[in-house]
Amino acid sequence: MDSTATSPAIDETHAPGRTSWVAGASNHGDFPVQNLPLGIFSPPGGTPRPGTAIGDHILDLAMLADLLPPDVGPALAQTTLNSLFALPRAARLALRRRLSSLLSDDRHRGAVEPALRRADACELHLPAAIGDYSDFYVGIHHATNVGTLFRPDNPLLPNYKHVPIGYHGRASSVRPSGVPVVRPNGQRKAPDAAEPAFGPSQRIDYELELGVWIGPGNALGTPIPIASAADHIAGFCLLNDWSARDFQAWEYQPLGPFLAKNFQTTISPWVVTAEALAPFRRAQPARPAGDPRPLPYLWDEADQQAGALDLELEVSLLTGKMRAAGAPPHRLSCGPASNMYWTVAQIVAHHASGGCNLSPGDLLGTGTISAPDREGFGSLLEITRGGSDPVTLPNGEIRRFVEDGDEVLLSARARRDGHVAIGFGACRAMLLPALHFGAAGQI
Ligand code: CA
C-alpha cells in the first residue's frame, strides 16, 4: 500500500522561511506563498481564467503557461479547473512547486510580475463546472444535536456509526461567495397547524461545512479503494449549506432533504489544495469505546493516522443594522474541523463503493461540523435550540434564525506550530427578502 496516497508530503513549498517577493504576501492571513490556492477569476474587462491567490493579488496562470510544467498547459487554457482536477496528483504537485518557486525566487520577478492582478479589482467565479454535488452528515455532534430536536427519543439512527450518511444535492444552485441568497418560498406545516401553508420560509439557517473537490475520479462501475481515495481529492473549500428548517421538518421523511436545501449553497471560490494542507494533517480522533469499527472497505491505517485536518472554523453574522452602523461582524461560533466521525477519504470511498462514478469538479459537502459545546455549534438551529433560545447580538438585536439583510460569513484557518498558517478566503452571502406570491399563489 502506498502510504503517500493518503498523506501529501511536506516539501520546500511549505518551508516556514519561504517568502514571496509579492508585496504583502508574507504576512497575509489567508494567502501566503505556502498556500497557493487555485481558482477562476476575471480581471477587469477580461474573461474567466485560472489563477492563484498570493497575498492581495491573483496570478494569471494562462499568461504564464510558458513558465509552467507543459502537461498542465492545456488545463490552464480553460475557463474552469475541471481539466486541471482531472490530472494526476503528480501534475498538480509539479504545478504547485513551480508556482512556489516563481513567486518566491526574486530572479523570476521580472517575468512573473506582469501576470499579477490586484484581487479587489477582479471577479471570482465558481472554480469548476460542478457536475454533481453530494452532501454528507459526518459531524457527529451536529447529527446528535439535530437528531435530538427532530427525534428527541432517537437522536442518532442505528446506521450512523456504520455508514457515512449522505444524499445527492443540487449542483445548479451552488454559488461563490458574495452572491446574495433569496429567501425561498415553500411548503411548511407547523406541528400545531391543522394544514400546511405555502410562503416564505420563517426559519432560514446556515450550515458550516467543508467542501471537497473531486480530482480524477473513477469510471462508472469501478470503485475507489479507500487507500487511493486521497488521489481523488483535489482540494477543499468552505461550504454554507443554506437550509430552510421549516420546509425541512415537513418534507424530509421519507426521502430526505429536497427544497429545504436546494435553493442555494455558498462556497468559498478558492480551492485550497490537498498538497497545501499537508502540514496540517492529523490523526482521525479515535472512536469512543464501544463504537463499531468501520467495515474493511472504509478502513485504511494510513488514513486513520493522517486523515483529519487541523483547521479552525468560524461563523460570523453581520446584520443590516450592524452594517449601517459600521460595526464588525459578530462571531457566532468557533471550533475545530476534527469533529468529523468519518474522514474525507472514507466519504469518497463510500460514495464510489457501489460503482457510482465521481468526476473531476464534483463537489462533496462534509455535513455541518459542530463542536460538542455551544461555542462550536455550526448552525443556528443548534445554537438557538430550534429558535427557543435566541442569540442576543452586541447591539441588542435578537436572532433565532437568519433575517433579511443579514450576512453570514464562514472562515477557516489551518494552523500548527512550526508552520505558516493558511486560510480559505471569504465565504459570505447576504439573505434577501422572498419573492412575493399573491393570494392566488402566483408571482
Ligand atoms: Ca448539510
Side-chain angles (χ1 to χ4, degrees), residues 212 324 344:
V212 179
V344 289

Side-chain angles (χ1 to χ4, degrees), residues 93-350:
L93 181 58
L95 173 63
R96 172 179 170 81
R97 296 179 81 162
R98 182 64 178 154
L99 288 173
S100 177
S101 165
L102 291 174
L103 287 165
S104 59
D105 189 332
D106 258 332
R107 287 173 300 180
H108 297 301
R109 183 170 184 165
V112 174
E113 203 159 25
L116 276 183
R117 302 279 176 263
R118 280 203 58 83
D120 58 10
C122 299
E123 185 184 355
L124 286 165
H125 307 283
L126 287 179
I130 304 169
D132 277 298
Y133 158 53
S134 303
D135 197 20
F136 282 82
Y137 200 49
V138 306
I140 188 167
H141 305 300
H142 170 77
T144 305
N145 293 337
V146 173
T148 303
L149 289 167
F150 281 62
R151 296 177 302 276
D153 50 336
N154 194 17
L156 273 191
L157 294 172
N159 54 8
Y160 188 84
K161 293 182 175 180
H162 296 274
V163 55
I165 302 295
Y167 70 99
H168 290 109
R170 184 77 192 168
S172 68
S173 53
V174 179
R175 289 292 180 276
S177 177
V179 178
V181 180
V182 175
R183 180 184 294 270
N185 285 286
Q187 191 179 136
R188 60 179 184 270
K189 180 184 168 300
D192 54 354
E195 300 290 337
F198 183 88
S201 168
Q202 295 168 359
R203 293 160 73 92
I204 293 292
D205 199 358
Y206 61 81
E207 290 194 336
L208 167 64
E209 305 194 14
L210 279 180
V212 179
W213 290 105
I214 295 298
N218 57 313
L220 181 66
T222 309
I224 296 175
I226 185 152
S228 57
D231 289 338
H232 301 277
I233 297 170
F236 297 84
C237 62
L238 281 160
L239 187 152
N240 180 351
D241 178 22
W242 291 94
S243 300
R245 299 301 184 192
D246 39 1
F247 304 169
Q248 185 180 358
W250 176 229
E251 76 175 8
Y252 90 105
Q253 289 181 319
L255 285 184
F258 191 48
L259 304 187
K261 299 277 190 174
N262 71 2
F263 54 95
Q264 196 156 321
T265 303
T266 302
I267 62 168
S268 55
W270 289 111
V271 179
V272 177
T273 65
E275 290 73 30
L277 289 166
F280 309 103
R281 295 248 154 212
R282 57 180 289 167
Q284 172 68 358
R287 292 186 161 202
D291 280 13
R293 181 184 165 95
L295 290 168
Y297 81 102
L298 293 172
W299 184 267
D300 176 63
E301 202 55 51
D303 179 46
Q304 292 298 309
Q305 286 166 18
L309 290 168
D310 239 343
L311 269 180
E312 196 174 74
L313 306 174
E314 211 175 286
V315 184
S316 299
L317 186 74
L318 184 68
T319 70
K321 215 179 231 182
M322 292 162 69
R323 195 178 309 111
H330 173 69
R331 189 167 87 178
L332 291 173
S333 72
C334 182
S338 55
N339 288 301
M340 292 168 51
Y341 195 74
W342 301 95
T343 67
V344 289
Q346 285 174 319
I347 65 178
V348 167
H350 179 66

Side-chain angles (χ1 to χ4, degrees), residues 14-71:
H14 306 97
R18 182 163 280 210
T19 56
S20 173
W21 48 260
V22 177
S26 293
N27 298 312
H28 198 272
D30 285 333
F31 307 131
V33 73
Q34 285 78 8
N35 194 343
L36 302 176
L38 302 167
I40 295 290
F41 78 103
S42 295
T47 52
R49 63 197 68 189
T52 292
I54 176 76
D56 293 323
H57 291 78
I58 300 174
L59 189 64
D60 185 332
L61 299 185
M63 276 183 70
L64 292 177
D66 291 348
L67 297 175
L68 298 173
D71 51 347

